[in-house]
Amino acid sequence: MEQSKPILPALPANPYRPGAGHAPPFLAGRETQLRRFEALLGQEPILKNLLLPGLRGVGKTVLLEPLRELARSHGWIWVGSEMSEAACISEEAMYIRLLADICMATSSLTIDYPTLQVGFTRSASTQQISLDMEGLKALYQSFPGLVSDKLTGVLRIACKALIAAGAKGVVFAYDEAQNLSERADDRQYPTSLLLDVFQRLQRENIPALLVLTGLPTLSARLVEARTYSERMFTSEPLSKLTEPQTRDAILRPLYLVGNPMAFSVESVELIIKQSDGYPYFVQFICREVYDAFAQRRISGQQLSVPMAEIIHRLDADFYSGRWSMLTDRQRDLLRLIASLESSDEEFTILQIEEAATKAGLKSRDKSTINKTLRSLTDRGLVYKDRHGKYCLAVPMLSGFIRRQAES
Ligand SMILES: Nc1ncnc2c1ncn2[C@@H]1O[C@H](COP(=O)(O)OP(=O)(O)OP(=O)(O)O)[C@@H](O)[C@H]1O
Ligand SMILES: [Mg+2]
């Protein structure tokens, strides 16, 4: 007689969250950054701001949420947003960005401000100004001088009003800050503006703290704009997770949903190896494994990890979009880079040139390579590190390129 299959209890929803800025079920291994940020909140006056550089998908955006919680628990106001390319196009765009952000915190506040007379002589009388966008813009216009003088003036007033209302200070946090750039051709220096204004506020002992996250090009961009930025920031790079941290990122989400389906020791080891500790890959692979196990559990199959299929899907999901945006020249150069032994670490133009000669690509001279590398840097795929060498900004990209070549 045919035996009926046991009815299995329904599984909890898949807990893993591969995505862009989707909070992970368990945030693994970022204690150092959280502790460092907490220490920075205790500064009086503020001498150092926080820089969080990291590769694509390493967890820059999701770290901002616990940082925000930490800031709030210490009585600080948190404002900020994404530093979009549009915000970095001009000094005007930058000051509007900053006013719009602080306005989120100040719009319900009003201050008594000396009435301004024609010719900028202040009268003895005061008027009430609401610190909404309109009020902030009016204040901005009332300050004489350059954009940086005006912006410093209005942010000084806004921060002081928030402190008078009980705040300890204000954190200005910006994601994707690698977009910060100068436009010398248009005589627009939005990055210098940002740095100048915060330096001035901090020198006046106003507790306004800057937190910037972005690709590793970020530090160089800031130094290019203002050499003193090196002293203005403390950098806490976000790296891939260590082995125990990766294990936590894999297993803790399962425990959080009651460990409905244990991943075997071998499965966990395989996920650690394949993800190489990169948070996005951990979430992606685990989500796929959870779904695959759920399926196989119903059909009674053995619970083994279909890694080849998962990698295939990861390629389509994470890499293909970026790859399809590239020109043939950019792809050729990336293929050469992927053929280098040190492609996942640092590489030089000379190494690429040698690889080109070896591959018989004589047209790839230093200046062509340099130009293409610059275009890849603008696309956020490559960056120059502190030693002046180049690195790939997308984790394990060379593996994808090699897989493409093989298929
Ligand atoms: N510490 C962590 N532990 C576990 N999962 C994490 C961790 N950090 C990030 N993740 C997961 O990794 C993925 C990528 O995170 P996030 O979007 O913050 O990366 P990012 O560095 O901002 O990437 P990008 O440069 O593309 O903007 C998300 O799915 C997130 O849930
Ligand atoms: Mg991000």
Side-chain angles (χ1 to χ4, degrees):
M1 204 172 71
E2 198 184 316
Q3 249 189 335
S4 62
K5 280 193 187 150
I7 296 169
L8 297 166
L11 282 177
N14 194 324
Y16 298 101
R17 296 280 175 274
H22 292 75
F26 176 78
L27 186 84
R30 296 300 184 220
E31 293 80 11
T32 315
Q33 288 77 11
L34 290 164
R35 266 206 311 274
R36 188 81 195 110
F37 177 64
E38 199 166 21
L40 293 180
L41 292 176
Q43 301 177 94
E44 224 176 295
I46 292 176
L47 299 171
K48 293 278 186 194
N49 301 275
L50 185 60
L51 211 61
L52 297 164
L55 301 182
R56 286 276 171 224
V58 85
K60 301 179 290 297
T61 304
V62 301
L63 185 60
L64 290 175
E65 194 46 44
L67 292 181
R68 182 210 295 257
E69 285 308 312
L70 202 53
R72 281 196 185 142
S73 71
H74 281 73
W76 286 63
I77 301 279
W78 175 282
V79 299
S81 51
E82 199 174 289
M83 195 52 89
S84 65
E85 282 175 27
C88 304
I89 209 148
S90 65
E91 289 162 25
E92 187 186 355
M94 178 62 76
Y95 93 68
I96 290 179
R97 171 77 274 144
L98 289 165
L99 293 193
D101 291 332
I102 189 92
C103 170
M104 299 297 285
T106 57
S107 60
S108 60
L109 301 178
T110 50
I111 54 159
D112 287 327
Y113 196 70
T115 313
L116 290 170
Q117 305 288 325
V118 180
F120 294 107
T121 46
R122 288 171 200 272
S123 76
S125 61
T126 60
Q127 65 181 114
Q128 281 227 318
I129 294 189
S130 164
L131 297 182
D132 54 13
M133 196 60 186
E134 211 177 309
L136 291 174
K137 276 188 174 168
L139 280 172
Y140 173 90
Q141 295 301 347
S142 76
F143 282 98
L146 303 171
V147 179
S148 68
D149 301 313
K150 290 169 177 285
L151 187 55
T152 308
V154 67
L155 289 182
R156 180 192 297 124
I157 291 176
C159 289
K160 282 187 173 174
L162 285 166
I163 288 157
K168 271 266 179 61
V170 188
V171 177
F172 288 76
Y174 291 97
D175 199 5
E176 299 282 345
Q178 75 280 351
N179 285 326
L180 283 168
S181 59
E182 305 291 53
R183 309 208 169 227
D185 293 348
D186 302 331
R187 294 169 164 255
Q188 289 295 321
Y189 302 95
T191 310
S192 301
L193 172 66
L194 178 78
L195 298 173
D196 285 350
V197 166
F198 275 83
Q199 206 211 24
R200 283 170 69 174
L201 292 172
Q202 290 169 0
R203 258 197 262 140
E204 291 176 25
N205 208 359
I206 292 175
L209 180 76
L210 202 51
V211 173
L212 302 178
T213 76
L215 295 179
T217 33
L218 173 57
S219 327
R221 290 264 159 112
L222 298 179
V223 175
E224 265 167 39
R226 285 284 184 255
T227 43
Y228 65 67
S229 73
E230 228 162 9
R231 275 162 285 142
M232 225 180 131
F233 287 91
T234 176
S235 181
E236 283 296 338
L238 293 181
S239 337
K240 58 186 181 177
L241 303 173
T242 61
E243 217 178 286
Q245 290 166 351
T246 311
R247 194 166 284 118
D248 273 349
I250 297 168
L251 293 174
R252 298 274 191 127
L254 280 181
Y255 302 152
L256 288 174
V257 292
N259 202 14
M261 167 172 59
F263 285 9
S264 68
V265 174
E266 295 77 39
S267 305
V268 172
E269 292 310 311
L270 186 59
I271 298 169
I272 293 175
K273 182 166 167 267
Q274 204 65 51
S275 67
D276 198 21
Y278 283 106
Y280 178 81
F281 300 153
V282 172
Q283 298 296 330
F284 188 93
I285 297 172
C286 286
R287 190 172 176 86
E288 293 284 331
V289 171
Y290 189 96
D291 283 346
F293 281 12
Q295 279 293 330
R296 289 172 187 208
R297 178 172 161 270
I298 294 167
S299 56
Q301 282 174 276
Q302 210 196 342
L303 299 187
S304 60
V305 177
M307 196 51 89
E309 284 166 38
I310 294 177
I311 297 299
H312 204 65
R313 248 177 262 161
L314 181 65
D315 284 352
D317 189 275
F318 187 74
Y319 296 107
S320 290
R322 296 172 209 272
W323 188 248
S324 64
M325 306 282 283
L326 301 177
T327 63
D328 287 345
R329 192 177 282 273
Q330 289 170 329
R331 286 184 199 180
D332 285 347
L333 192 81
L334 284 172
R335 283 192 196 99
L336 282 174
I337 293 170
S339 73
L340 302 174
E341 234 172 75
S342 62
S343 61
D344 282 327
E345 286 118 42
E346 305 172 320
F347 48 88
T348 61
I349 294 186
L350 186 67
Q351 282 175 306
I352 303 174
E353 208 182 12
E354 282 168 3
T357 313
K358 225 162 116 188
L361 297 167
K362 295 216 171 58
S363 61
R364 299 291 182 276
D365 58 23
K366 256 200 192 79
S367 85
T368 327
I369 294 172
N370 204 359
K371 218 167 115 200
T372 315
L373 277 175
R374 241 180 298 136
S375 70
L376 286 168
T377 305
D378 290 342
R379 280 211 163 274
L381 285 168
V382 167
Y383 70 95
K384 226 183 200 173
D385 68 9
R386 280 188 301 151
H387 311 114
K389 296 188 173 174
Y390 287 92
C391 305
L392 293 172
V394 179
M396 303 205 281
L397 179 63
S398 50
F400 164 77
I401 296 169
R402 287 195 293 268
R403 286 195 292 280
Q404 291 282 100
E406 284 158 15
S407 65

